[in-house]
Every structure is written in structure tokens, then in C-alpha cells.
Amino acid sequence: EHWKKESAKWAESLPLRLFHGTKNARELELEKVKRSGGILITTYGMIPTNEDVFIAHNWDFIVLDEGHN
């Protein structure tokens, strides 16, 4: 929720996508980001288990949020 507010405040023209949840949910969000760009929000823990995804794409913005720790 925090990132939605911040995105709307500072980068309202960029779509915000969450890379979390089930594999299907993550794949859907990745396709959206690949088509239209935007900001991808995820956690450090998602990087090692999805390394191929992060290496295979030229990202505009990725936010690694660990606010819950």
C-alpha cells in the first residue's frame, strides 16, 4: 500500500506492478511490465529464486522493499 501512495505522488504516469504471490500472478505482472514499462515492486527474497527473470529483461525501475523486516 505504501508504494502505491508513493508512486501516485512521485511517478503517477508510471504503472506500478507487484512481483509477488503465485507463479501465475508473477508471470502476469511481468508480461504487463514488459509491454508497458513501469515500476516493479518485489523483495530481495524473490531475486535468487527468479534470477533468470531479472537477468532476461532490461528494467526501467525495480524497487526491492523489505519494510516488513
Side-chain angles (χ1 to χ4, degrees):
E1 192 63 34
H2 168 76
W3 282 107
K4 288 180 184 178
K5 289 179 186 175
E6 290 300 311
S7 175
K9 184 176 177 180
W10 301 104
E12 63 185 272
S13 65
L14 295 174
L16 183 70
R17 308 289 184 206
L18 299 177
F19 186 80
H20 213 271
T22 67
K23 183 177 180 181
N24 287 341
R26 294 190 312 263
E27 287 174 356
L28 281 172
E29 292 305 304
L30 282 174
E31 287 306 313
K32 291 176 186 175
V33 169
K34 288 178 183 179
R35 280 195 308 270
S36 60
I39 302 169
L40 184 72
I41 307 290
T42 192
T43 64
Y44 286 100
M46 295 301 283
I47 301 292
T49 57
N50 298 277
E51 183 178 344
D52 56 325
V53 169
F54 291 100
I55 290 173
H57 187 67
N58 186 16
W59 301 98
D60 292 322
F61 301 96
I62 297 179
V63 175
L64 302 175
D65 183 18
E66 292 297 330
H68 63 281
N69 285 342

Short mmCIF file of all heavy atoms in Angstrom, two decimals:
data_model
loop_
_atom_site.label_atom_id
_atom_site.label_comp_id
_atom_site.label_asym_id
_atom_site.label_seq_id
_atom_site.Cartn_x
_atom_site.Cartn_y
_atom_site.Cartn_z
N GLU A 1 0.83 -1.19 0.00
CA GLU A 1 0.00 0.00 0.00
C GLU A 1 0.87 1.26 0.00
O GLU A 1 0.55 2.23 -0.67
CB GLU A 1 -0.93 -0.04 1.22
CG GLU A 1 -2.03 0.97 1.18
CD GLU A 1 -3.00 0.79 0.03
OE1 GLU A 1 -3.26 -0.35 -0.37
OE2 GLU A 1 -3.47 1.81 -0.48
N HIS A 2 1.95 1.22 0.75
CA HIS A 2 2.86 2.37 0.83
C HIS A 2 3.39 2.75 -0.55
O HIS A 2 3.40 3.93 -0.91
CB HIS A 2 4.02 2.05 1.77
CG HIS A 2 5.14 3.02 1.69
ND1 HIS A 2 5.08 4.26 2.26
CD2 HIS A 2 6.34 2.95 1.07
CE1 HIS A 2 6.20 4.92 2.00
NE2 HIS A 2 6.98 4.15 1.29
N TRP A 3 3.80 1.77 -1.33
CA TRP A 3 4.37 2.07 -2.65
C TRP A 3 3.33 2.59 -3.62
O TRP A 3 3.65 3.36 -4.51
CB TRP A 3 5.10 0.85 -3.20
CG TRP A 3 6.42 0.71 -2.55
CD1 TRP A 3 6.79 -0.21 -1.61
CD2 TRP A 3 7.55 1.57 -2.73
NE1 TRP A 3 8.07 0.02 -1.21
CE2 TRP A 3 8.58 1.11 -1.88
CE3 TRP A 3 7.79 2.69 -3.51
CZ2 TRP A 3 9.81 1.72 -1.82
CZ3 TRP A 3 9.03 3.29 -3.45
CH2 TRP A 3 10.03 2.80 -2.60
N LYS A 4 2.08 2.18 -3.47
CA LYS A 4 1.03 2.73 -4.33
C LYS A 4 0.89 4.23 -4.09
O LYS A 4 0.78 5.01 -5.03
CB LYS A 4 -0.30 2.02 -4.05
CG LYS A 4 -0.36 0.62 -4.58
CD LYS A 4 -1.70 -0.01 -4.28
CE LYS A 4 -1.72 -1.44 -4.72
NZ LYS A 4 -3.00 -2.09 -4.41
N LYS A 5 0.91 4.63 -2.83
CA LYS A 5 0.80 6.05 -2.49
C LYS A 5 2.01 6.83 -3.01
O LYS A 5 1.86 7.91 -3.58
CB LYS A 5 0.68 6.22 -0.98
CG LYS A 5 -0.63 5.77 -0.41
CD LYS A 5 -0.65 5.94 1.09
CE LYS A 5 -1.91 5.36 1.69
NZ LYS A 5 -1.89 5.42 3.15
N GLU A 6 3.20 6.29 -2.80
CA GLU A 6 4.41 6.97 -3.24
C GLU A 6 4.47 7.07 -4.76
O GLU A 6 4.87 8.09 -5.31
CB GLU A 6 5.66 6.26 -2.71
CG GLU A 6 5.85 6.41 -1.23
CD GLU A 6 6.00 7.85 -0.79
OE1 GLU A 6 6.81 8.59 -1.38
OE2 GLU A 6 5.31 8.25 0.16
N SER A 7 4.09 6.01 -5.44
CA SER A 7 4.08 6.02 -6.89
C SER A 7 3.11 7.06 -7.43
O SER A 7 3.42 7.80 -8.37
CB SER A 7 3.72 4.63 -7.42
OG SER A 7 3.59 4.64 -8.81
N ALA A 8 1.93 7.12 -6.85
CA ALA A 8 0.93 8.09 -7.29
C ALA A 8 1.42 9.52 -7.05
O ALA A 8 1.12 10.43 -7.83
CB ALA A 8 -0.38 7.86 -6.56
N LYS A 9 2.19 9.70 -6.01
CA LYS A 9 2.68 11.02 -5.65
C LYS A 9 3.84 11.48 -6.53
O LYS A 9 3.89 12.62 -6.97
CB LYS A 9 3.13 10.98 -4.18
CG LYS A 9 3.57 12.27 -3.59
CD LYS A 9 3.87 12.03 -2.12
CE LYS A 9 4.41 13.25 -1.42
NZ LYS A 9 4.70 12.98 -0.01
N TRP A 10 4.80 10.58 -6.82
CA TRP A 10 6.04 10.97 -7.49
C TRP A 10 6.18 10.48 -8.92
O TRP A 10 7.00 10.99 -9.67
CB TRP A 10 7.24 10.48 -6.68
CG TRP A 10 7.26 11.03 -5.29
CD1 TRP A 10 6.92 10.37 -4.14
CD2 TRP A 10 7.58 12.36 -4.91
NE1 TRP A 10 7.02 11.21 -3.07
CE2 TRP A 10 7.43 12.45 -3.52
CE3 TRP A 10 7.98 13.49 -5.61
CZ2 TRP A 10 7.67 13.61 -2.81
CZ3 TRP A 10 8.22 14.66 -4.89
CH2 TRP A 10 8.06 14.71 -3.52
N ALA A 11 5.43 9.46 -9.29
CA ALA A 11 5.57 8.90 -10.64
C ALA A 11 4.21 8.44 -11.15
O ALA A 11 4.05 7.31 -11.58
CB ALA A 11 6.57 7.75 -10.62
N GLU A 12 3.24 9.33 -11.10
CA GLU A 12 1.87 8.94 -11.40
C GLU A 12 1.67 8.42 -12.82
O GLU A 12 0.74 7.68 -13.08
CB GLU A 12 0.92 10.09 -11.14
CG GLU A 12 1.17 11.31 -12.02
CD GLU A 12 0.28 12.46 -11.64
OE1 GLU A 12 -0.83 12.53 -12.19
OE2 GLU A 12 0.70 13.27 -10.81
N SER A 13 2.56 8.76 -13.74
CA SER A 13 2.40 8.30 -15.12
C SER A 13 2.95 6.89 -15.34
O SER A 13 2.72 6.30 -16.39
CB SER A 13 3.08 9.27 -16.09
OG SER A 13 4.47 9.27 -15.88
N LEU A 14 3.67 6.35 -14.35
CA LEU A 14 4.23 5.01 -14.50
C LEU A 14 3.36 3.97 -13.80
O LEU A 14 3.02 4.13 -12.63
CB LEU A 14 5.64 4.95 -13.88
CG LEU A 14 6.70 5.80 -14.55
CD1 LEU A 14 7.98 5.77 -13.75
CD2 LEU A 14 6.95 5.33 -15.97
N PRO A 15 3.02 2.90 -14.51
CA PRO A 15 2.25 1.83 -13.87
C PRO A 15 3.08 1.15 -12.77
O PRO A 15 4.29 1.01 -12.89
CB PRO A 15 1.97 0.84 -15.00
CG PRO A 15 2.37 1.50 -16.25
CD PRO A 15 3.28 2.62 -15.92
N LEU A 16 2.42 0.74 -11.72
CA LEU A 16 3.07 0.04 -10.61
C LEU A 16 2.65 -1.42 -10.64
O LEU A 16 1.46 -1.72 -10.69
CB LEU A 16 2.64 0.69 -9.29
CG LEU A 16 3.26 0.13 -8.03
CD1 LEU A 16 4.74 0.50 -7.97
CD2 LEU A 16 2.54 0.68 -6.82
N ARG A 17 3.62 -2.32 -10.63
CA ARG A 17 3.35 -3.76 -10.67
C ARG A 17 4.00 -4.44 -9.49
O ARG A 17 5.10 -4.09 -9.10
CB ARG A 17 3.91 -4.38 -11.95
CG ARG A 17 3.51 -3.70 -13.22
CD ARG A 17 2.08 -3.92 -13.53
NE ARG A 17 1.77 -3.30 -14.82
CZ ARG A 17 0.59 -2.89 -15.16
NH1 ARG A 17 -0.42 -3.04 -14.37
NH2 ARG A 17 0.40 -2.34 -16.33
N LEU A 18 3.33 -5.45 -8.94
CA LEU A 18 3.87 -6.21 -7.82
C LEU A 18 4.34 -7.57 -8.29
O LEU A 18 3.58 -8.32 -8.90
CB LEU A 18 2.81 -6.38 -6.74
CG LEU A 18 2.26 -5.10 -6.12
CD1 LEU A 18 1.17 -5.42 -5.11
CD2 LEU A 18 3.37 -4.30 -5.46
N PHE A 19 5.60 -7.89 -8.03
CA PHE A 19 6.15 -9.20 -8.36
C PHE A 19 6.18 -10.01 -7.08
O PHE A 19 7.14 -10.00 -6.31
CB PHE A 19 7.55 -9.07 -8.96
CG PHE A 19 8.12 -10.36 -9.46
CD1 PHE A 19 7.74 -10.86 -10.69
CD2 PHE A 19 9.02 -11.08 -8.71
CE1 PHE A 19 8.26 -12.06 -11.17
CE2 PHE A 19 9.55 -12.28 -9.18
CZ PHE A 19 9.17 -12.76 -10.40
N HIS A 20 5.06 -10.69 -6.81
CA HIS A 20 4.93 -11.47 -5.60
C HIS A 20 3.75 -12.40 -5.79
O HIS A 20 3.02 -12.29 -6.76
CB HIS A 20 4.69 -10.54 -4.40
CG HIS A 20 5.28 -11.07 -3.14
ND1 HIS A 20 4.58 -11.90 -2.30
CD2 HIS A 20 6.50 -10.91 -2.61
CE1 HIS A 20 5.35 -12.22 -1.28
NE2 HIS A 20 6.53 -11.63 -1.44
N GLY A 21 3.56 -13.32 -4.90
CA GLY A 21 2.41 -14.22 -4.99
C GLY A 21 2.73 -15.48 -5.77
O GLY A 21 3.87 -15.92 -5.85
N THR A 22 1.70 -16.05 -6.38
CA THR A 22 1.85 -17.31 -7.11
C THR A 22 2.68 -17.10 -8.38
O THR A 22 2.82 -15.98 -8.86
CB THR A 22 0.48 -17.88 -7.52
OG1 THR A 22 -0.10 -16.99 -8.48
CG2 THR A 22 -0.44 -18.05 -6.33
N LYS A 23 3.17 -18.18 -8.91
CA LYS A 23 3.94 -18.10 -10.15
C LYS A 23 3.10 -17.49 -11.27
O LYS A 23 3.59 -16.65 -12.02
CB LYS A 23 4.44 -19.49 -10.55
CG LYS A 23 5.31 -19.46 -11.77
CD LYS A 23 5.86 -20.83 -12.12
CE LYS A 23 6.73 -20.70 -13.36
NZ LYS A 23 7.28 -21.95 -13.80
N ASN A 24 1.85 -17.89 -11.37
CA ASN A 24 0.97 -17.33 -12.41
C ASN A 24 0.77 -15.82 -12.23
O ASN A 24 0.80 -15.07 -13.20
CB ASN A 24 -0.39 -18.04 -12.41
CG ASN A 24 -0.30 -19.43 -12.98
OD1 ASN A 24 0.64 -19.78 -13.68
ND2 ASN A 24 -1.29 -20.24 -12.66
N ALA A 25 0.57 -15.38 -11.00
CA ALA A 25 0.38 -13.95 -10.74
C ALA A 25 1.64 -13.17 -11.10
O ALA A 25 1.56 -12.10 -11.70
CB ALA A 25 0.03 -13.73 -9.27
N ARG A 26 2.81 -13.73 -10.76
CA ARG A 26 4.07 -13.05 -11.09
C ARG A 26 4.27 -12.97 -12.59
O ARG A 26 4.67 -11.93 -13.12
CB ARG A 26 5.25 -13.78 -10.44
CG ARG A 26 5.25 -13.71 -8.93
CD ARG A 26 6.54 -14.21 -8.33
NE ARG A 26 7.01 -15.47 -8.84
CZ ARG A 26 6.80 -16.66 -8.27
NH1 ARG A 26 6.10 -16.74 -7.15
NH2 ARG A 26 7.30 -17.76 -8.79
N GLU A 27 3.96 -14.04 -13.30
CA GLU A 27 4.12 -14.05 -14.76
C GLU A 27 3.20 -13.03 -15.42
O GLU A 27 3.61 -12.35 -16.37
CB GLU A 27 3.87 -15.45 -15.31
CG GLU A 27 5.00 -16.41 -14.99
CD GLU A 27 4.71 -17.84 -15.41
OE1 GLU A 27 3.58 -18.13 -15.88
OE2 GLU A 27 5.61 -18.68 -15.25
N LEU A 28 1.97 -12.90 -14.93
CA LEU A 28 1.04 -11.90 -15.48
C LEU A 28 1.58 -10.48 -15.31
O LEU A 28 1.54 -9.67 -16.23
CB LEU A 28 -0.32 -12.01 -14.80
CG LEU A 28 -1.22 -13.13 -15.28
CD1 LEU A 28 -2.45 -13.23 -14.38
CD2 LEU A 28 -1.65 -12.89 -16.71
N GLU A 29 2.09 -10.19 -14.12
CA GLU A 29 2.64 -8.86 -13.86
C GLU A 29 3.87 -8.59 -14.71
O GLU A 29 4.06 -7.49 -15.22
CB GLU A 29 2.94 -8.67 -12.38
CG GLU A 29 1.71 -8.62 -11.51
CD GLU A 29 0.71 -7.56 -11.95
OE1 GLU A 29 1.09 -6.38 -12.04
OE2 GLU A 29 -0.46 -7.90 -12.19
N LEU A 30 4.71 -9.61 -14.89
CA LEU A 30 5.90 -9.44 -15.73
C LEU A 30 5.53 -9.12 -17.16
O LEU A 30 6.15 -8.27 -17.80
CB LEU A 30 6.76 -10.70 -15.70
CG LEU A 30 7.61 -10.88 -14.46
CD1 LEU A 30 8.30 -12.24 -14.50
CD2 LEU A 30 8.62 -9.77 -14.34
N GLU A 31 4.52 -9.78 -17.68
CA GLU A 31 4.08 -9.50 -19.05
C GLU A 31 3.59 -8.07 -19.18
O GLU A 31 3.87 -7.40 -20.17
CB GLU A 31 3.01 -10.50 -19.49
CG GLU A 31 3.56 -11.88 -19.76
CD GLU A 31 4.72 -11.88 -20.75
OE1 GLU A 31 4.60 -11.23 -21.82
OE2 GLU A 31 5.74 -12.53 -20.48
N LYS A 32 2.88 -7.59 -18.19
CA LYS A 32 2.40 -6.21 -18.21
C LYS A 32 3.56 -5.22 -18.21
O LYS A 32 3.55 -4.24 -18.94
CB LYS A 32 1.49 -5.95 -17.02
CG LYS A 32 0.17 -6.68 -17.08
CD LYS A 32 -0.63 -6.45 -15.82
CE LYS A 32 -1.89 -7.28 -15.79
NZ LYS A 32 -2.61 -7.14 -14.51
N VAL A 33 4.56 -5.47 -17.37
CA VAL A 33 5.73 -4.58 -17.30
C VAL A 33 6.50 -4.62 -18.61
O VAL A 33 6.95 -3.59 -19.11
CB VAL A 33 6.65 -4.96 -16.11
CG1 VAL A 33 7.96 -4.22 -16.18
CG2 VAL A 33 5.95 -4.67 -14.80
N LYS A 34 6.65 -5.79 -19.18
CA LYS A 34 7.38 -5.91 -20.44
C LYS A 34 6.68 -5.16 -21.56
O LYS A 34 7.32 -4.58 -22.43
CB LYS A 34 7.56 -7.38 -20.82
CG LYS A 34 8.57 -8.09 -19.94
CD LYS A 34 8.68 -9.55 -20.31
CE LYS A 34 9.63 -10.29 -19.40
NZ LYS A 34 9.71 -11.71 -19.74
N ARG A 35 5.34 -5.14 -21.55
CA ARG A 35 4.59 -4.44 -22.60
C ARG A 35 4.57 -2.94 -22.40
O ARG A 35 4.73 -2.18 -23.35
CB ARG A 35 3.14 -4.95 -22.63
CG ARG A 35 2.95 -6.25 -23.35
CD ARG A 35 1.47 -6.49 -23.65
NE ARG A 35 0.61 -6.38 -22.49
CZ ARG A 35 0.29 -7.39 -21.67
NH1 ARG A 35 0.78 -8.58 -21.90
NH2 ARG A 35 -0.51 -7.21 -20.65
N SER A 36 4.37 -2.50 -21.17
CA SER A 36 4.12 -1.07 -20.98
C SER A 36 5.10 -0.38 -20.04
O SER A 36 4.94 0.80 -19.75
CB SER A 36 2.70 -0.86 -20.46
OG SER A 36 2.52 -1.52 -19.22
N GLY A 37 6.12 -1.09 -19.56
CA GLY A 37 7.08 -0.48 -18.65
C GLY A 37 6.46 -0.25 -17.29
O GLY A 37 5.44 -0.80 -16.94
N GLY A 38 7.13 0.58 -16.51
CA GLY A 38 6.61 0.90 -15.19
C GLY A 38 7.58 0.53 -14.09
O GLY A 38 8.76 0.30 -14.32
N ILE A 39 7.04 0.48 -12.90
CA ILE A 39 7.82 0.19 -11.71
C ILE A 39 7.43 -1.19 -11.20
O ILE A 39 6.25 -1.48 -11.01
CB ILE A 39 7.52 1.24 -10.61
CG1 ILE A 39 7.84 2.64 -11.13
CG2 ILE A 39 8.31 0.92 -9.34
CD1 ILE A 39 7.35 3.76 -10.23
N LEU A 40 8.43 -2.02 -10.97
CA LEU A 40 8.20 -3.36 -10.44
C LEU A 40 8.59 -3.36 -8.96
O LEU A 40 9.71 -2.99 -8.62
CB LEU A 40 9.02 -4.39 -11.20
CG LEU A 40 8.79 -5.84 -10.81
CD1 LEU A 40 7.43 -6.31 -11.31
CD2 LEU A 40 9.87 -6.73 -11.38
N ILE A 41 7.68 -3.78 -8.09
CA ILE A 41 7.93 -3.87 -6.66
C ILE A 41 8.08 -5.33 -6.30
O ILE A 41 7.23 -6.16 -6.65
CB ILE A 41 6.76 -3.28 -5.84
CG1 ILE A 41 6.40 -1.87 -6.28
CG2 ILE A 41 7.06 -3.35 -4.34
CD1 ILE A 41 7.40 -0.84 -5.96
N THR A 42 9.16 -5.67 -5.60
CA THR A 42 9.37 -7.03 -5.15
C THR A 42 10.22 -7.01 -3.90
O THR A 42 10.45 -5.96 -3.31
CB THR A 42 9.99 -7.90 -6.28
OG1 THR A 42 9.92 -9.28 -5.89
CG2 THR A 42 11.42 -7.51 -6.58
N THR A 43 10.68 -8.16 -3.46
CA THR A 43 11.53 -8.27 -2.28
C THR A 43 12.87 -8.88 -2.66
O THR A 43 13.00 -9.51 -3.71
CB THR A 43 10.88 -9.16 -1.21
OG1 THR A 43 10.77 -10.48 -1.73
CG2 THR A 43 9.51 -8.64 -0.81
N TYR A 44 13.85 -8.69 -1.79
CA TYR A 44 15.17 -9.30 -2.03
C TYR A 44 15.04 -10.82 -2.15
O TYR A 44 15.74 -11.44 -2.93
CB TYR A 44 16.14 -8.96 -0.90
CG TYR A 44 16.64 -7.54 -0.94
CD1 TYR A 44 16.08 -6.57 -0.12
CD2 TYR A 44 17.67 -7.18 -1.79
CE1 TYR A 44 16.53 -5.27 -0.15
CE2 TYR A 44 18.12 -5.88 -1.84
CZ TYR A 44 17.56 -4.92 -1.01
OH TYR A 44 18.00 -3.64 -1.05
N GLY A 45 14.14 -11.41 -1.39
CA GLY A 45 13.97 -12.85 -1.41
C GLY A 45 13.51 -13.41 -2.74
O GLY A 45 13.74 -14.58 -3.04
N MET A 46 12.87 -12.59 -3.56
CA MET A 46 12.39 -13.06 -4.85
C MET A 46 13.52 -13.11 -5.89
O MET A 46 13.40 -13.82 -6.89
CB MET A 46 11.27 -12.15 -5.37
CG MET A 46 10.01 -12.17 -4.53
SD MET A 46 9.28 -13.81 -4.39
CE MET A 46 8.49 -13.95 -5.97
N ILE A 47 14.59 -12.39 -5.67
CA ILE A 47 15.68 -12.33 -6.66
C ILE A 47 16.35 -13.68 -6.87
O ILE A 47 16.41 -14.16 -8.00
CB ILE A 47 16.71 -11.25 -6.27
CG1 ILE A 47 16.04 -9.87 -6.17
CG2 ILE A 47 17.87 -11.23 -7.25
CD1 ILE A 47 15.54 -9.29 -7.46
N PRO A 48 16.85 -14.35 -5.83
CA PRO A 48 17.55 -15.62 -6.07
C PRO A 48 16.67 -16.71 -6.68
O PRO A 48 17.13 -17.48 -7.52
CB PRO A 48 18.01 -16.06 -4.68
CG PRO A 48 17.93 -14.86 -3.82
CD PRO A 48 16.89 -13.97 -4.42
N THR A 49 15.40 -16.74 -6.30
CA THR A 49 14.52 -17.80 -6.82
C THR A 49 13.97 -17.50 -8.20
O THR A 49 13.37 -18.38 -8.82
CB THR A 49 13.35 -18.06 -5.84
OG1 THR A 49 12.64 -16.84 -5.64
CG2 THR A 49 13.85 -18.58 -4.51
N ASN A 50 14.17 -16.27 -8.68
CA ASN A 50 13.69 -15.87 -10.00
C ASN A 50 14.78 -15.15 -10.78
O ASN A 50 14.49 -14.28 -11.61
CB ASN A 50 12.48 -14.95 -9.85
CG ASN A 50 11.32 -15.63 -9.18
OD1 ASN A 50 10.55 -16.34 -9.82
ND2 ASN A 50 11.20 -15.46 -7.88
N GLU A 51 16.01 -15.52 -10.53
CA GLU A 51 17.16 -14.83 -11.13
C GLU A 51 17.06 -14.73 -12.64
O GLU A 51 17.35 -13.68 -13.23
CB GLU A 51 18.45 -15.56 -10.74
CG GLU A 51 19.70 -14.90 -11.23
CD GLU A 51 20.94 -15.63 -10.78
OE1 GLU A 51 20.88 -16.45 -9.86
OE2 GLU A 51 21.99 -15.35 -11.37
N ASP A 52 16.63 -15.79 -13.30
CA ASP A 52 16.53 -15.79 -14.76
C ASP A 52 15.59 -14.69 -15.26
O ASP A 52 15.85 -14.04 -16.28
CB ASP A 52 16.08 -17.15 -15.28
CG ASP A 52 14.76 -17.62 -14.68
OD1 ASP A 52 14.50 -17.33 -13.49
OD2 ASP A 52 13.99 -18.29 -15.40
N VAL A 53 14.52 -14.43 -14.54
CA VAL A 53 13.56 -13.39 -14.92
C VAL A 53 14.21 -12.01 -14.84
O VAL A 53 14.05 -11.18 -15.74
CB VAL A 53 12.34 -13.44 -13.98
CG1 VAL A 53 11.44 -12.23 -14.16
CG2 VAL A 53 11.56 -14.72 -14.20
N PHE A 54 14.96 -11.78 -13.80
CA PHE A 54 15.55 -10.46 -13.59
C PHE A 54 16.72 -10.20 -14.53
O PHE A 54 16.95 -9.05 -14.91
CB PHE A 54 15.96 -10.29 -12.13
CG PHE A 54 14.77 -10.22 -11.22
CD1 PHE A 54 14.36 -11.32 -10.50
CD2 PHE A 54 14.03 -9.06 -11.12
CE1 PHE A 54 13.25 -11.26 -9.68
CE2 PHE A 54 12.91 -8.99 -10.32
CZ PHE A 54 12.52 -10.10 -9.59
N ILE A 55 17.42 -11.22 -14.93
CA ILE A 55 18.54 -11.07 -15.86
C ILE A 55 18.03 -10.88 -17.29
O ILE A 55 18.62 -10.14 -18.07
CB ILE A 55 19.48 -12.28 -15.78
CG1 ILE A 55 20.21 -12.26 -14.44
CG2 ILE A 55 20.48 -12.29 -16.92
CD1 ILE A 55 21.03 -13.50 -14.17
N ALA A 56 16.92 -11.51 -17.63
CA ALA A 56 16.43 -11.55 -19.01
C ALA A 56 15.76 -10.27 -19.49
O ALA A 56 15.45 -10.14 -20.66
CB ALA A 56 15.45 -12.72 -19.17
N HIS A 57 15.53 -9.31 -18.61
CA HIS A 57 14.78 -8.12 -19.01
C HIS A 57 15.59 -6.86 -18.70
O HIS A 57 16.29 -6.79 -17.70
CB HIS A 57 13.45 -8.08 -18.27
CG HIS A 57 12.54 -6.98 -18.71
ND1 HIS A 57 11.97 -6.96 -19.97
CD2 HIS A 57 12.10 -5.87 -18.10
CE1 HIS A 57 11.22 -5.88 -20.08
NE2 HIS A 57 11.30 -5.20 -18.96
N ASN A 58 15.49 -5.87 -19.55
CA ASN A 58 16.12 -4.57 -19.33
C ASN A 58 15.12 -3.69 -18.58
O ASN A 58 14.21 -3.13 -19.18
CB ASN A 58 16.51 -3.95 -20.67
CG ASN A 58 17.30 -2.68 -20.49
OD1 ASN A 58 17.81 -2.40 -19.42
ND2 ASN A 58 17.40 -1.91 -21.55
N TRP A 59 15.28 -3.57 -17.29
CA TRP A 59 14.31 -2.91 -16.44
C TRP A 59 14.45 -1.40 -16.44
O TRP A 59 15.54 -0.87 -16.52
CB TRP A 59 14.47 -3.41 -15.00
CG TRP A 59 14.27 -4.87 -14.90
CD1 TRP A 59 15.25 -5.83 -14.86
CD2 TRP A 59 13.04 -5.58 -14.90
NE1 TRP A 59 14.69 -7.07 -14.82
CE2 TRP A 59 13.33 -6.95 -14.84
CE3 TRP A 59 11.71 -5.18 -14.93
CZ2 TRP A 59 12.35 -7.91 -14.81
CZ3 TRP A 59 10.73 -6.14 -14.90
CH2 TRP A 59 11.05 -7.49 -14.84
N ASP A 60 13.32 -0.71 -16.31
CA ASP A 60 13.33 0.73 -16.07
C ASP A 60 13.55 0.98 -14.58
O ASP A 60 14.46 1.70 -14.20
CB ASP A 60 12.00 1.37 -16.50
CG ASP A 60 11.80 1.32 -18.00
OD1 ASP A 60 12.80 1.49 -18.73
OD2 ASP A 60 10.67 1.09 -18.44
N PHE A 61 12.70 0.40 -13.75
CA PHE A 61 12.79 0.57 -12.30
C PHE A 61 12.38 -0.71 -11.59
O PHE A 61 11.38 -1.31 -11.95
CB PHE A 61 11.84 1.68 -11.81
CG PHE A 61 12.10 3.01 -12.43
CD1 PHE A 61 11.37 3.43 -13.52
CD2 PHE A 61 13.08 3.84 -11.92
CE1 PHE A 61 11.60 4.66 -14.11
CE2 PHE A 61 13.32 5.07 -12.49
CZ PHE A 61 12.59 5.49 -13.59
N ILE A 62 13.16 -1.08 -10.58
CA ILE A 62 12.78 -2.16 -9.67
C ILE A 62 12.96 -1.61 -8.26
O ILE A 62 13.98 -1.02 -7.94
CB ILE A 62 13.66 -3.42 -9.83
CG1 ILE A 62 13.50 -4.02 -11.21
CG2 ILE A 62 13.31 -4.44 -8.76
CD1 ILE A 62 14.36 -5.25 -11.43
N VAL A 63 11.96 -1.81 -7.42
CA VAL A 63 12.06 -1.42 -6.02
C VAL A 63 12.06 -2.70 -5.21
O VAL A 63 11.17 -3.53 -5.34
CB VAL A 63 10.86 -0.53 -5.60
CG1 VAL A 63 10.92 -0.24 -4.12
CG2 VAL A 63 10.85 0.75 -6.42
N LEU A 64 13.10 -2.86 -4.40
CA LEU A 64 13.20 -4.01 -3.50
C LEU A 64 12.78 -3.54 -2.12
O LEU A 64 13.49 -2.79 -1.47
CB LEU A 64 14.63 -4.56 -3.48
CG LEU A 64 15.16 -5.00 -4.85
CD1 LEU A 64 16.61 -5.40 -4.75
CD2 LEU A 64 14.32 -6.11 -5.44
N ASP A 65 11.62 -3.96 -1.69
CA ASP A 65 11.03 -3.49 -0.44
C ASP A 65 11.16 -4.54 0.63
O ASP A 65 10.67 -5.65 0.48
CB ASP A 65 9.58 -3.13 -0.67
CG ASP A 65 8.91 -2.56 0.57
OD1 ASP A 65 9.65 -2.12 1.47
OD2 ASP A 65 7.68 -2.54 0.61
N GLU A 66 11.79 -4.19 1.72
CA GLU A 66 11.91 -5.09 2.86
C GLU A 66 11.38 -4.41 4.12
O GLU A 66 11.87 -4.62 5.20
CB GLU A 66 13.38 -5.50 3.06
CG GLU A 66 13.91 -6.37 1.95
CD GLU A 66 13.20 -7.71 1.82
OE1 GLU A 66 12.71 -8.27 2.83
OE2 GLU A 66 13.12 -8.21 0.69
N GLY A 67 10.37 -3.57 3.96
CA GLY A 67 9.81 -2.82 5.06
C GLY A 67 9.22 -3.68 6.17
O GLY A 67 9.13 -3.25 7.31
N HIS A 68 8.86 -4.90 5.84
CA HIS A 68 8.25 -5.78 6.86
C HIS A 68 9.29 -6.41 7.76
O HIS A 68 8.95 -7.00 8.76
CB HIS A 68 7.43 -6.87 6.18
CG HIS A 68 8.26 -7.78 5.31
ND1 HIS A 68 8.66 -7.42 4.04
CD2 HIS A 68 8.79 -8.99 5.55
CE1 HIS A 68 9.38 -8.41 3.53
NE2 HIS A 68 9.47 -9.35 4.43
N ASN A 69 10.58 -6.31 7.43
CA ASN A 69 11.63 -6.92 8.26
C ASN A 69 12.05 -6.01 9.39
O ASN A 69 12.09 -4.88 9.35
CB ASN A 69 12.85 -7.26 7.42
CG ASN A 69 12.60 -8.49 6.57
OD1 ASN A 69 11.68 -9.24 6.84
ND2 ASN A 69 13.40 -8.67 5.55
#
